[in-house]
Amino acid sequence: MSEPYVVGVDTGHTGALREADHLLRALAAELGLPADVLGCTHHVRDGRRPHTALSFAVPSERAARAAWRWLTENGSGRPGTGTIVGVGVGAGAGAEEGDGGGEAGGPGAGPDAGTGTLLGVAFGGDRHGPDELAAGAAHAAAEHGARTGGRAVLYPGVDALTGVLTVARLLEVSAVDQVTVLGSPEGAAGEARLVTRDHVRPEWRDGRLVLAAMPAAGGTLVPFEVPDPTPCCADH
């Protein structure tokens, strides 16, 4: 795999991971990122409170620069701040349909709930936005760039990971490098069946995209991360 160009984005999102997933997908669509983009969520522990940041690794510097320009030029026009309007559920860009908006300080609210989302952006040595959010974006970009952390939501082959697949098939059709099994140092056998639950979120570990799985009924495996029972949108 060639070295990626990684753009980090931090809206200060403190809501559920499913909402962060929705924001990541919405931003990828707004940015017009290529089909093989790899988008991750990252836990940020520094600053006033733990929250989730995002990163996008694209195969060319040109695509990364275009994403950087869109994110920074769609700002509020005030020095040191930026806004993204209409793409962020749970990140201050409004609420889900019929929700009527999040409570102040709660999972459905952000720095500027209902009107736009203050955000930080990082690419290479460049930073944009409020200091804390720019630092969170830089953390996400660095972690993803080094492939030492990040929970992958978008990645090559993710749309094929539905229903029940063998581990060998999952590794063949997607960017996932390895499947580990809770309590088993040997990892998953290629013929083992994985019930995907249509929710496969591998993580970067030491340069490899690794899916953690656990034993389930009938000798099958399931991804360790359980999908939220309430879908955030219709496309995943």
Side-chain angles (χ1 to χ4, degrees), residues 54-73:
L54 314 174
S55 67
F56 299 94
V58 295
S60 73
E61 183 175 5
R62 180 178 179 180
R65 287 291 178 191
W68 165 267
R69 285 194 300 272
W70 191 94
L71 289 162
T72 57
E73 290 173 5

Side-chain angles (χ1 to χ4, degrees), residues 101-217:
E103 296 180 2
D112 194 15
T115 60
T117 301
L118 295 174
L119 77 161
V121 189
F123 174 57
D126 296 329
R127 304 287 183 271
H128 174 86
D131 290 345
E132 184 176 338
L133 297 181
H139 165 78
E143 200 172 59
H144 189 158
R147 297 172 183 151
T148 56
R151 167 183 167 274
V153 177
L154 293 176
Y155 51 93
V158 62
D159 292 338
L161 304 185
T162 61
V164 181
L165 300 171
T166 65
V167 168
R169 180 62 177 168
L170 180 146
L171 298 177
E172 178 186 353
V173 302
S174 75
V176 178
D177 295 307
Q178 182 182 0
V179 177
T180 62
V181 181
L182 189 66
S184 173
E186 293 80 16
E191 65 273 15
R193 293 179 301 132
L194 180 84
V195 181
T196 67
R197 300 182 292 202
D198 299 348
H199 187 86
V200 180
R201 300 290 188 266
E203 297 184 0
W204 284 115
R205 296 183 190 173
D206 300 322
R208 294 169 64 81
L209 204 53
V210 179
L211 176 68
M214 57 185 177

